[in-house]
Amino acid sequence: MTTNNTHLSDIKTGDEAIITKVLGHGAFRKRITEMGFVKGKKVTVIKNAPLQDPVEYEIMGYNVSLRRSEAELVEVVSIEDAASLSEIKFEGTIDEETLKVSALEKGKVINVALVGNPNCGKTTLFNYASGSHERVGNYSGVTVDAKEATMKKNGYTFRIVDLPGTYSITEYSPEELYVRRHITKKMPDIVVNVIDSSNLVRNMFLTTQLIDMNIKVVIALNMYDELEKKGVKFDYNGLGEMLGIPIIPTVASKGKGIDELFTKLIEVYEDLDPSVRHIHINYGPQIEKAIKDIQDVIWKNPAITDKLSSRYVAIKLLETDKSTLAELENFNNYEQIKSTAKQTIAELEKEYGERSETIITDAKYGFIDGALKETYKESKKGKRESKRELDDILTHRFLGFPIFLFFMWLMFQATFTLGSYPMGWINSGVGLLSEWVQHTMPHGALRDLVVDGIIGGVGGVIVFLPNIIILFFFISLMEDTGYMARASFIMDKLMHKIGLHGKSFIPLVMGFGCNVPAIMATRTLDNKKDRILTMIITPFMSCSARLPVYVLLISAIFPANQGLVLFSIYLIGITLAVLTALVMKRIAFAKKEVPFVMELPPYRIPTMKNTSLHMWHKGQQYLKKMGNVILLASILIWALGYFPRHTTYSTNYDTQIERVQSSRKLNGSQKQDLVKHLEIYKESERQEKSYIGQLGHAIEPAIKPLGFDWKMGVSIITGLAAKEIVVSSMGILYQTDMKADENSSSLKEEIKAQTHNTGKLKGQKVFTPLVSFCFMLFVLIYFPCIAVIAAVKKESSWHWAVFTMVYTTAIAWLLAFATYQIGSLFV
Ligand code: GDP
Ligand code: MG
């Protein structure tokens, strides 16, 4: 049988041929098969001149044109060949069906390449399978060459190529280049990755490169006898499912497992194995971004992606692989690709302080470590590498959790204790600024806008910046050292119970800082459903903007149990997240679990520079929010409270103030006190009659059943912009100078002293413990904030953004309602 294949590009004008195989890659393959170029179909060449590009064909009654480079990837047999292939010798004409069948027969040639480390048993396997007698042993240094043999099984012909052994398929040795060329140029149908199972970590490095190439791979887990001898427990099926690559244990020297291997090859060739899928090794956010940037320019040239996976080319370019670059030289946007790669590499190396190749290699080993950690159990411990020892403790089944909780506690503790110092400074700074503006600017609406609206609103929020920066610093530190990956690893099993997995854990932890970067961090999740589910439960992670509300109310109303109440609020948030996930998993996100690898990247000593940089990237988001959303909201709230300017008061406060001031019975400080009170009453009435007051009264029917007064209603509305504004609004509405410390005794005292002045509750305290708790609940749960909704929209769709708005608010109302109504029965 001839091994020379005819390609569609070789068929002359007017001739017909039958397709036997479509080579090529990804998007190209998909497109061309969608056009009808599949096994067994007849193609007629309409026009094919030697130098003409594209070439025109007719298939299934349609005329299509293919680029010559595309036509080269379609293997065909000419009608004559198909006829001669056909066993049935008719005297007259051969009908088309017979031709198709014989073409399919020809298509049943499966090209297999054996790839693996030196001495993993490739040649032994090759010999056994093909019955040939190649010398077994290591030939390194001898001319690079591949041996080919054929064998038949179940009606299929296997054309097997034994490639030279390599540890990698970079460009360092002629063997490596040879193997790579064979895979990319000859395009075997399936690559058999032969692995020496007594040395999994090293052997699997090559596997990670094959994964990047996005080709069909089956792993022959060779020397399986050695593994069994060691008494190792290895869930290779589990590993295979995680990798999307079938794994067949073999003992090539005894011929064990070879039959199973070839049966599997047929299954994979015919796309019958459901576990086969292409996975992406997650290289971490920075490298993934770099890959994406390079892919963007590669995609501009589809001729590249016909044969190679764009992701693979991008990764190779990031590894500064010269031969990949050389291969791209003839494509028209070569210069652009080259300069993009150069630039992204420079950025990466600056950030990591390491060569980009090293960063990628490290990530690959992180992937292998993570994959084996879950599937590979050694019988006796002892001969592990030192970096693994730390993992034994940090990801220990029992010790892992308390260690993790300790780090979390440390993080929150540091966030609030360390943060309190700069918080004080910023506070006084804001106070001084507003005083200075008050004295320098002329009286009028503009001054009020600057002082009460802008400085008051934004200033009230900026005081929390240090806490947020510190929280981000710790989160970056945990990411940079590699601990976050361990935390995700140990949380994985737990997260699976609620329909998520370990990778969702990082965004959720970040949510305690600010939900916006947390929502953005869901990008690291591969699966869209996981991403959306994580996104919609993230708002229940009480972000730092909500903390001021709790601190204010807890210190005013629950002085005896501060810690406990605060903890319960956070816990309720987490519980709600879990419950929501459980429910959503049932109704909208039911899915087949696809196991995947949780990477365990190597530990790194973080540098102050890197961690600060990452912290800054995260903090920027928050600053931006302050610069636009909070600024605008502050101005709006201020204006709504400031206008209309002409209020008809119930009593004439001004004459009362004059009367006090001219009174002879009162001494100076008494006068001052009275005047201050009168002014407050006046301002309070004006507020109530302002637009915002009207708004508050308008929503009263909705919030009354929760035990809230109209001022709380206004605070809730203003909190839509940002939760920090809830406190600012309470500061304005409950008559304290909001420019003073939010947590200062004055606002606290006012909150304690507030009584209802109308209705059947008249004279009773507004902030009972029950109402305060319900209010905190409501603030915890309802509408996260505009910035979060915008982030959800950006990362998913309007649909989910609207959903998030509605369901959070509904739950908040229902829960506050139930708590208040049930609580009222007892209190
Ligand atoms: P290659 O470099 O990958 O082609 O490896 P070879 O086929 O030359 O095999 C290297 C050595 O491993 C030879 O001595 C083989 O006999 C031995 N070998 C191959 N497969 C197995 C196996 O499954 N189990 C054991 N114990 N030895 C094997
Ligand atoms: Mg060999």
Side-chain angles (χ1 to χ4, degrees):
M1 185 184 198
T2 53
T3 54
N4 269 346
N5 291 310
T6 318
H7 298 269
L8 186 55
S9 51
D10 306 330
I11 307 292
K12 289 190 208 65
T13 304
D15 281 1
E16 294 181 335
I18 291 177
I19 297 168
T20 53
K21 197 177 278 181
V22 176
L23 303 169
H25 224 271
F28 160 74
R29 226 186 133 93
K30 188 160 172 285
R31 189 166 57 86
I32 202 160
T33 48
E34 277 166 4
M35 286 198 293
F37 288 84
V38 287
K39 258 191 271 183
K41 283 272 177 308
K42 193 179 80 179
V43 200
T44 312
V45 184
I46 304 290
K47 213 155 144 237
N48 181 12
L51 289 173
Q52 187 204 351
D53 202 358
V55 192
E56 248 186 277
Y57 298 99
E58 192 216 277
I59 187 162
M60 301 202 300
Y62 290 99
N63 276 25
V64 289
S65 53
L66 292 185
R67 274 181 277 124
R68 185 166 293 278
S69 61
E70 290 175 325
E72 275 165 11
L73 295 175
V74 180
E75 281 186 14
V76 294
V77 280
S78 64
I79 298 287
E80 300 81 62
D81 281 356
S84 68
L85 265 170
S86 158
E87 309 280 274
I88 322 143
K89 297 268 190 288
F90 280 112
E91 282 304 303
T93 50
I94 298 168
D95 65 80
E96 197 167 288
E97 277 314 301
T98 320
L99 287 179
K100 275 185 188 167
V101 170
S102 57
L104 284 177
E105 288 291 323
K106 174 139 204 258
K108 283 188 173 179
V109 176
I110 307 179
N111 291 309
V112 175
L114 300 181
V115 172
N117 288 184
N119 288 319
C120 65
K122 287 181 305 301
T123 307
T124 315
L125 202 158
F126 175 84
N127 287 347
Y128 190 90
S130 63
S132 70
H133 303 282
E134 279 299 331
R135 241 188 71 209
V136 178
N138 203 6
Y139 290 89
S140 83
V142 189
T143 29
V144 178
D145 195 13
K147 285 138 293 192
E148 201 182 287
T150 53
M151 70 165 274
K152 280 194 198 286
K153 187 184 163 68
N154 299 354
Y156 289 84
T157 306
F158 289 90
R159 202 178 293 142
I160 314 164
V161 177
D162 181 21
L163 291 170
T166 57
Y167 293 108
S168 159
I169 34 178
T170 38
E171 51 170 356
Y172 292 124
S173 65
E175 286 89 357
E176 295 187 5
L177 262 184
Y178 187 91
V179 172
R180 198 159 106 190
R181 292 247 160 83
H182 185 89
I183 296 173
T184 57
K185 295 277 171 353
K186 296 260 171 72
M187 289 194 251
D189 299 308
I190 304 175
V191 167
V192 172
N193 181 198
V194 184
I195 279 180
D196 171 0
S197 44
S198 58
N199 202 337
L200 280 170
V201 175
R202 197 191 63 195
N203 277 257
M204 277 179 66
F205 187 75
L206 186 59
T207 313
T208 62
Q209 292 178 323
L210 296 173
I211 289 175
D212 285 341
M213 294 179 91
N214 187 7
I215 48 178
K216 274 189 185 167
V217 179
V218 171
I219 290 176
L221 190 62
N222 198 33
M223 313 234 179
Y224 195 68
D225 50 339
E226 304 269 328
L227 194 92
E228 282 180 320
K229 235 186 272 166
K230 281 200 283 181
V232 169
K233 272 204 199 119
F234 182 31
D235 175 16
Y236 57 82
N237 283 322
L239 179 67
E241 269 168 31
M242 280 197 266
L243 302 180
I245 296 176
I247 299 181
I248 309 293
T250 57
V251 184
S253 52
K254 298 207 181 79
K256 275 197 206 160
I258 310 292
D259 238 19
E260 289 83 347
L261 177 67
F262 281 85
T263 310
K264 185 52 87 181
L265 292 182
I266 295 173
E267 245 178 78
V268 171
Y269 177 75
E270 298 288 4
D271 293 322
L272 293 174
D273 185 334
S275 73
V276 174
R277 65 183 208 281
H278 173 55
I279 62 159
H280 284 182
I281 292 170
N282 179 8
Y283 290 99
Q286 280 94 15
I287 299 175
E288 286 298 332
K289 190 186 165 292
I291 292 174
K292 180 79 192 358
D293 289 346
I294 299 178
Q295 269 180 314
D296 280 340
V297 277
I298 293 174
W299 279 326
K300 288 186 186 157
N301 202 328
I304 302 176
T305 53
D306 285 354
K307 294 190 182 174
L308 296 171
S309 136
S310 60
R311 186 176 166 85
Y312 166 73
V313 176
I315 293 167
K316 279 289 155 214
L317 291 178
L318 279 181
E319 288 174 334
T320 58
D321 186 279
K322 284 193 195 62
S323 64
T324 300
L325 204 58
E327 272 174 51
L328 300 179
E329 219 159 31
N330 295 324
F331 291 105
N332 49 30
N333 62 344
Y334 168 73
E335 284 303 326
Q336 196 193 0
I337 295 174
K338 195 174 143 185
S339 68
T340 310
K342 208 172 151 192
Q343 197 189 331
T344 38
I345 289 170
E347 280 166 24
L348 268 186
E349 294 191 342
K350 199 172 141 218
E351 199 158 328
Y352 280 88
E354 230 166 332
R355 298 205 35 202
S356 59
E357 276 173 272
T358 320
I359 309 168
I360 290 176
T361 305
D362 281 356
K364 282 194 154 92
Y365 279 117
F367 175 87
I368 297 168
D369 277 348
L372 291 180
K373 175 94 187 168
E374 277 179 78
T375 52
Y376 187 90
K377 302 265 175 309
E378 251 167 317
S379 56
K380 279 174 282 170
K381 290 197 176 164
K383 43 182 178 182
R384 283 228 182 146
E385 298 146 54
S386 64
K387 68 165 179 168
R388 279 275 190 124
E389 276 164 18
L390 195 51
D391 268 346
D392 285 344
I393 299 168
L394 290 182
T395 62
H396 189 273
R397 263 192 301 167
F398 306 117
L399 283 176
F401 285 99
I403 294 172
F404 167 67
L405 286 176
F406 170 74
F407 281 131
M408 286 289 119
W409 173 83
L410 192 71
M411 176 173 84
F412 285 116
Q413 195 65 23
T415 301
F416 296 112
T417 48
L418 289 179
S420 66
Y421 300 102
M423 194 173 177
W425 306 331
I426 294 180
N427 228 332
S428 10
V430 171
L432 284 175
L433 178 68
S434 102
E435 234 168 76
W436 180 77
V437 174
Q438 190 113 35
H439 288 304
T440 44
M441 276 180 79
H443 274 265
L446 187 64
R447 192 189 73 177
D448 291 344
L449 167 69
V450 174
V451 174
D452 298 330
I454 296 173
I455 302 180
V458 178
V461 177
I462 211 167
V463 292
F464 299 106
L465 186 63
N467 301 80
I468 284 156
I469 294 275
I470 292 170
L471 190 63
F472 285 156
F473 178 80
F474 274 92
I475 289 172
S476 302
L477 194 66
M478 290 206 280
E479 281 176 355
D480 292 352
T481 49
Y483 181 69
M484 202 60 120
R486 272 77 192 171
S488 306
F489 195 92
I490 59 170
M491 292 303 289
D492 193 48
K493 279 217 173 65
L494 220 57
M495 302 288 283
H496 272 294
K497 298 219 157 68
I498 60 167
L500 289 169
H501 47 67
K503 281 187 188 173
S504 302
F505 181 68
I506 294 173
L508 292 177
V509 170
M510 288 177 71
F512 287 123
C514 176
N515 288 179
V516 175
I519 301 254
M520 295 194 306
T522 57
R523 276 181 213 170
T524 51
L525 297 164
D526 309 315
N527 181 294
K528 190 165 172 232
K529 283 186 173 178
D530 291 333
R531 223 162 33 225
I532 290 175
L533 187 52
T534 310
M535 245 182 256
I536 59 178
I537 66 168
T538 299
F540 293 129
M541 301 291 117
S542 189
C543 71
S544 56
R546 288 169 241 195
L547 191 65
V549 184
Y550 311 148
V551 172
L552 173 67
L553 286 175
I554 288 172
S555 59
I557 311 295
F558 302 98
N561 305 308
Q562 298 199 11
L564 190 68
V565 178
L566 186 64
F567 183 67
S568 72
I569 293 283
Y570 275 88
L571 205 64
I572 289 170
I574 296 169
T575 313
L576 273 176
V578 171
L579 291 177
T580 309
L582 281 175
V583 172
M584 294 304 280
K585 183 180 130 187
R586 286 274 154 74
I587 57 174
F589 293 93
K591 61 163 202 270
K592 216 182 88 212
E593 286 275 338
V594 187
F596 67 92
V597 175
M598 297 283 302
E599 295 86 3
L600 285 178
Y603 290 103
R604 280 172 196 277
I605 310 275
T607 64
M608 198 61 189
K609 198 180 119 216
N610 285 349
T611 306
S612 312
L613 199 72
H614 294 155
M615 167 193 86
W616 175 241
H617 285 324
K618 296 189 179 84
Q620 257 178 339
Q621 212 64 41
Y622 192 77
L623 279 177
K624 267 196 208 141
K625 174 172 147 193
M626 237 171 315
N628 44 54
V629 182
I630 295 179
L631 178 65
L632 279 176
S634 299
I635 294 173
L636 189 71
I637 293 157
W638 169 83
L640 287 175
Y642 193 76
F643 297 106
R645 293 309 288 165
H646 300 290
T647 313
T648 29
Y649 294 102
S650 52
T651 50
N652 194 333
Y653 292 104
D654 294 343
T655 49
Q656 283 190 34
I657 288 170
E658 266 168 44
R659 216 177 297 151
V660 169
Q661 265 160 348
S662 55
S663 159
R664 301 213 177 131
K665 279 186 243 155
L666 301 163
N667 65 27
S669 74
Q670 279 173 323
K671 274 185 193 172
Q672 245 181 354
D673 254 21
L674 270 174
V675 169
K676 195 179 156 207
H677 267 99
L678 280 168
E679 274 171 350
I680 286 173
Y681 283 130
K682 184 185 171 191
E683 175 61 14
S684 159
E685 195 177 334
R686 199 195 60 71
Q687 280 275 6
E688 193 165 352
K689 289 182 173 161
S690 71
Y691 292 128
I692 211 164
Q694 292 169 23
L695 196 66
H697 281 296
I699 65 159
E700 235 177 340
I703 54 165
K704 227 180 192 148
L706 316 181
F708 301 170
D709 71 348
W710 69 269
K711 295 178 185 179
M712 288 152 96
V714 170
S715 311
I716 286 169
I717 292 178
T718 57
L720 297 178
K723 295 264 166 111
E724 295 94 330
I725 303 174
V726 173
V727 168
S728 318
S729 303
M730 289 171 82
I732 302 173
L733 298 170
Y734 292 110
Q735 299 119 33
T736 20
D737 189 350
M738 59 172 295
K739 292 176 293 300
D741 184 356
E742 256 81 320
N743 314 327
S744 71
S745 60
S746 48
L747 179 54
K748 203 169 93 185
E749 296 307 321
E750 287 293 342
I751 293 280
K752 271 203 258 186
Q754 283 293 315
T755 54
H756 289 281
N757 48 16
T758 50
K760 63 176 193 284
L761 289 173
K762 187 168 176 157
Q764 290 186 29
K765 288 251 189 294
V766 173
F767 288 95
T768 63
L770 182 60
V771 170
S772 308
F773 194 78
C774 289
F775 188 64
M776 287 193 283
L777 267 188
F778 196 91
V779 170
L780 164 73
I781 307 165
Y782 87 112
F783 188 102
C785 73
I786 287 175
V788 171
I789 298 296
V792 171
K793 194 228 140 203
K794 198 170 147 221
E795 301 294 324
S796 61
S797 64
W798 262 118
H799 175 83
W800 289 112
V802 171
F803 177 78
T804 308
M805 286 191 237
V806 175
Y807 97 100
T808 50
T809 311
I811 294 179
W813 194 89
L814 286 174
L815 209 61
F817 177 76
T819 312
Y820 181 68
Q821 295 300 333
I822 295 169
S824 300
L825 300 176
F826 298 99
V827 184

